[in-house]
Amino acid sequence: EYQRLEDGEEESPPGEEELLLHVTEGLQDSWHHIKNLDNFFTKISLRGPCLAKNGFACMMLSDVFELVQFLFVVTFTTFLLCCVDYDVLFANRPLNHSQAGAAAPDRGKVTLPDAVLPAAQCAQRIRASSWIIFLLVMAAAFWLYRLVKVLCSLLGFWEIRSFYIRALDIPAEELCNYSWQEVQARLIALQRRQQMCVHKRELTELDIYHRILRFKNYTVAMVNKSLLPVRFRLPLLGPVVFLTQGLKYNLELLLFWGPGSLFQNKWSLRPQCKRAGARRELAQRLARTMVLLGVANLLLCPCVLVWQLLYAFFSYAEVIKREPGSLGARRWSLYGRHYLRHFNELNHELQARLSRGYKPATKYMNSFTSPLLTVLAKNVGFFAGSILAVLIVLTVYDEDVLTVQHILTAITLLGLLVTLARSFIPDEHTVWCPEQLLQRVLAHVHYMPDHWPGNASRAETRSEMAQLFQYKAVFILEELLSPVLTPLILIFALPARALDIVDFFRNFTVEVVGVGDICSFAQLDVRNHGNPQWLSAGQTEASLYQQAENGKTELSLMRFALAHPRWQPPRRSELFLSRLQQRVQRDAATAGPGTGVLPEGPLGASLLS
């Protein structure tokens, strides 16, 4: 059982339905009397960096082209299914080009217009297929929904742009020169002048982060405590992790903002979720909702699967033809982004940190090679390359070779095979040093299981790292399988965790004045959630269930304190930071300037931080 965690330092806020954004005379604009400060601060944190980086016109065009792209995929697919005569296109049926007065029929090459059916015949084919009409109606409804969202998004962009200019006094052309910390400082100063939040006289950096990342902190904590069923052991494949955008969307719908979710609004947990006596009844209701949501996903599976297949084909077909090795590139998995994310870390902060760790992680994963696979790749590349070279020489000698049936297909496939084989051949100058490479990865990602250090050369470590840093091909495959596997997880795997999830939200939710209900881990209090392996004796009162795994509370506290030097942490947390700083300074002094361990200049300053 999770232990009850009370927050004795803060009193419960009196319902946030009266929490208004009050702007005095002179700033009476569209952001006056905004009830939902969570949404408002989220827009500032998400769209502010986008506006600074890309500008309003770029963000507007990006949203508009999303709509155009969806419309193109649906229209072009319908055209290919119903408006093309493939017997004519593939020359299975001869086409008579004879004209009046001609001595003999012209049986020249087939042109594209010859293979396109007339508009009337095309429309008749579409009307004859009820399945196509159903999919078109579903696509039209979704497109209209996306249109409304894009219009609201554009209005939101304009609203935030006006807020930056008028309230924060940041000109649009200079927005790119301001960091998030500077914008946040102006928000805090504006609160002192305008009282945006009526329940607190002053906002802190942590209050703003709590509002922006309220739900995200819960998700990060559940992944940290291994509460979500995303790990499975499959025959032949062994341990696998499955977390896709579709599954994540359903989990958020189920827990945070859906009609039967645990939250009654954006900032408050349902009262029955806070009572221990209602836990079993609430867990049964949540389990039923999970099953119903899974059934709904199962019914929508064909539509979603068709869209996923079409979008993947149109998105990646040309890239694969041009750069087959792109499927062998790696990316941080969705599970990895949650596992490696600190509490109270914004999206752009996480992205910057993981981007710095991308190259070291790639070098570490590429340092593992299979001698057997290398030998096979070299020989496959040799044979395929030899045949390809001959075909290219023949084509250069006489272009009529291209008229031979399937010769272009053979050249394309052989080129893909050569490129793919080359990607499995390692650089002969690579030095095998997995421990050092893994330490470089750790310097940026900050988290790794306790059994990784000292075992960096083991295949098990590489397999676990691959769950965080997956191939792009694996990512595409997971997203394609998501419409099929997500309903199964919702129906069979997730209901068994319903009671644990209800207990988690009851035991790890605290109410903060002027903020509402938040995840208690996000308070960065080592007294309640510290890990004894990271702390001195007596610094934490957390039990095994209350403490965050892998030192996430301590590492999140250090990152947040470094990013916000003016923030005042809780007393125990401040004591931990001061002792840590003293130890770092003592170790640096012991190393001495002559050892070269901590060189002077920017690198040394970065390491000392």
Side-chain angles (χ1 to χ4, degrees):
E1 296 291 334
Y2 286 109
Q3 299 299 314
R4 179 72 178 175
L5 177 64
E6 300 287 353
D7 182 26
E9 299 178 0
E10 304 282 2
E11 58 181 275
S12 301
E16 208 179 35
E17 50 276 352
E18 299 178 358
L19 188 58
L20 305 178
L21 178 65
H22 177 69
V23 183
T24 58
E25 295 296 332
L27 290 177
Q28 300 278 352
D29 218 320
S30 59
W31 55 83
H32 182 51
H33 286 304
I34 292 178
K35 288 186 177 182
N36 193 344
L37 280 177
D38 286 29
N39 188 41
F40 188 69
F41 286 154
T42 301
K43 287 179 181 178
I44 293 174
S45 69
L46 290 178
R47 296 174 180 176
C50 291
L51 285 171
K53 184 178 180 181
N54 302 320
F56 180 76
C58 289
M59 300 309 301
M60 181 181 68
L61 282 176
S62 177
D63 286 344
V64 169
F65 276 117
E66 259 190 44
L67 291 174
V68 175
Q69 193 178 76
F70 180 83
L71 202 61
F72 170 79
V73 170
V74 173
T75 306
F76 190 50
T77 304
T78 306
F79 171 79
L80 292 177
L81 289 175
C82 302
C83 301
V84 177
D85 190 340
Y86 289 98
D87 286 335
V88 174
L89 184 66
F90 297 144
N92 295 329
R93 186 176 72 242
L95 186 66
N96 192 350
H97 284 279
S98 60
Q99 301 177 2
D106 179 15
R107 299 183 181 274
K109 278 191 173 183
V110 176
T111 61
L112 284 178
D114 295 330
V116 177
L117 296 174
Q121 189 175 352
C122 178
Q124 183 181 0
R125 279 193 173 189
I126 294 175
R127 288 194 297 268
S129 175
S130 57
W131 178 242
I132 290 180
I133 292 177
F134 171 74
L135 290 179
L136 289 177
V137 170
M138 293 289 293
F142 181 76
W143 188 84
L144 291 174
Y145 166 74
R146 288 291 303 161
L147 176 63
V148 173
K149 286 199 68 174
V150 166
L151 292 176
C152 294
S153 178
L154 295 179
L155 292 175
F157 274 122
W158 188 258
E159 176 190 14
I160 295 304
R161 181 180 181 273
S162 302
F163 180 80
Y164 270 94
I165 295 172
R166 294 172 57 83
L168 299 184
D169 196 24
I170 300 177
E173 61 273 8
E174 296 183 12
L175 186 57
C176 59
N177 299 325
Y178 285 81
S179 66
W180 163 248
Q181 282 71 22
E182 292 173 315
V183 172
Q184 188 174 236
R186 296 200 175 207
L187 272 177
I188 295 173
L190 184 64
Q191 162 68 14
R192 297 192 188 103
R193 300 194 307 269
Q194 312 291 351
Q195 285 293 296
M196 290 185 294
C197 176
V198 298
H199 292 302
K200 297 191 76 171
R201 184 174 182 82
E202 291 194 7
L203 284 177
T204 66
E205 294 88 348
L206 197 60
D207 291 335
I208 296 174
Y209 274 72
H210 281 165
R211 285 188 171 278
I212 297 172
L213 300 169
R214 188 189 304 274
F215 297 153
K216 185 66 70 177
N217 282 326
Y218 276 108
T219 307
V220 171
M222 285 190 286
V223 170
N224 179 257
K225 299 295 290 182
S226 301
L227 194 60
L228 299 177
V230 296
R231 289 185 170 274
F232 306 93
R233 182 174 290 275
L234 301 179
L236 302 178
L237 297 179
V240 297
V241 172
F242 185 82
L243 180 61
T244 61
Q245 292 291 346
L247 180 57
K248 173 175 168 285
Y249 178 86
N250 279 276
L251 290 174
E252 291 176 349
L253 179 68
L254 190 67
L255 300 176
F256 300 125
W257 49 268
S261 66
L262 301 180
F263 274 76
Q264 61 182 358
N265 49 45
K266 295 291 185 180
W267 52 80
S268 180
L269 205 62
R270 295 184 185 275
Q272 57 267 36
C273 295
K274 302 177 182 180
R275 297 197 302 266
R279 57 192 290 268
R280 293 196 177 276
E281 178 186 354
L282 190 62
Q284 291 174 358
R285 190 187 314 161
L286 181 62
R288 285 197 300 270
T289 307
M290 292 171 178
V291 174
L292 292 175
L293 186 61
V295 172
N297 274 265
L298 206 57
L299 295 176
L300 292 174
C301 174
C303 300
V304 180
L305 184 59
V306 168
W307 166 252
Q308 293 276 54
L309 289 171
L310 291 175
Y311 187 79
F313 174 78
F314 289 124
S315 299
Y316 299 111
E318 190 275 334
V319 177
I320 294 173
K321 178 182 178 299
R322 177 167 39 89
E323 299 179 19
S326 62
L327 291 180
R330 291 187 176 269
R331 66 189 305 277
W332 295 104
S333 67
L334 187 58
Y335 171 78
R337 288 178 175 272
H338 285 81
Y339 178 85
L340 300 173
R341 188 169 193 154
H342 293 300
F343 295 123
N344 300 316
E345 187 173 27
L346 296 176
N347 290 339
H348 68 271
E349 295 172 335
L350 173 69
Q351 183 60 42
R353 185 164 58 86
L354 295 185
S355 296
R356 291 193 295 269
Y358 182 85
K359 286 187 177 180
T362 301
K363 289 181 179 179
Y364 171 74
M365 297 302 290
N366 290 343
S367 66
F368 289 83
T369 58
S370 169
L372 178 61
L373 192 60
T374 301
V375 172
L376 291 175
K378 286 182 177 180
N379 284 275
V380 168
F382 171 77
F383 295 126
S386 301
I387 300 173
L388 178 62
V390 171
L391 292 179
I392 292 175
V393 170
L394 291 176
T395 303
V396 172
Y397 177 74
D398 189 349
E399 62 181 13
D400 289 337
V401 175
L402 294 175
T403 61
V404 177
Q405 193 173 19
H406 300 313
I407 193 67
L408 283 176
T409 304
I411 292 176
T412 302
L413 292 179
L414 287 170
L416 291 175
L417 192 59
V418 169
T419 306
L420 188 64
R422 193 180 301 153
S423 66
F424 287 99
I425 301 174
D427 185 1
E428 59 182 7
H429 302 293
T430 301
V431 180
W432 173 251
C433 49
E435 291 291 346
Q436 295 180 17
L437 291 174
L438 192 59
Q439 286 300 317
R440 291 183 183 179
V441 176
L442 178 62
H444 299 289
V445 302
H446 299 168
Y447 294 100
M448 66 169 58
D450 293 335
H451 59 274
W452 279 16
N455 296 306
S457 60
R458 297 177 63 88
E460 293 82 357
T461 303
R462 181 189 182 279
S463 299
E464 293 178 4
M465 180 66 182
Q467 295 173 353
L468 308 178
F469 196 56
Q470 61 184 177
Y471 283 118
K472 193 171 184 178
V474 175
F475 162 74
I476 297 172
L477 181 62
E478 286 183 351
E479 291 297 331
L480 292 177
L481 293 176
S482 179
V484 178
L485 298 181
T486 294
L488 302 180
I489 294 175
L490 291 173
I491 295 173
F492 298 108
L494 197 57
R497 304 287 183 93
L499 186 59
D500 291 333
I501 291 174
V502 170
D503 286 338
F504 177 88
F505 276 86
R506 186 184 73 255
N507 294 322
F508 294 106
T509 296
V510 293
E511 299 175 358
V512 178
V513 171
V515 178
D517 291 335
I518 64 167
C519 181
S520 59
F521 286 101
Q523 289 188 298
L524 307 179
D525 192 351
V526 296
R527 181 194 64 179
N528 294 324
H529 298 299
N531 194 314
Q533 294 180 346
W534 288 71
L535 301 165
S536 302
Q539 281 188 271
T540 181
E541 302 170 3
S543 66
L544 182 63
Y545 287 104
Q546 290 174 326
Q547 68 190 31
E549 307 300 329
N550 300 317
K552 187 173 281 288
T553 301
E554 291 77 12
L555 287 167
S556 301
L557 171 64
M558 285 187 276
R559 190 212 69 83
F560 196 84
L562 285 171
H564 307 91
R566 298 180 182 178
W567 172 65
Q568 184 66 32
R571 187 177 61 84
R572 294 284 182 89
S573 300
E574 188 176 13
L575 180 62
F576 165 75
L577 290 174
S578 62
R579 290 182 177 177
L580 178 67
Q581 187 177 15
Q582 291 172 5
R583 177 165 181 176
V584 170
Q585 291 174 348
R586 186 171 61 250
D587 291 346
T590 302
T595 60
V597 176
L598 294 172
E600 297 181 359
L603 178 59
S606 175
L607 292 174
L608 282 173
S609 70

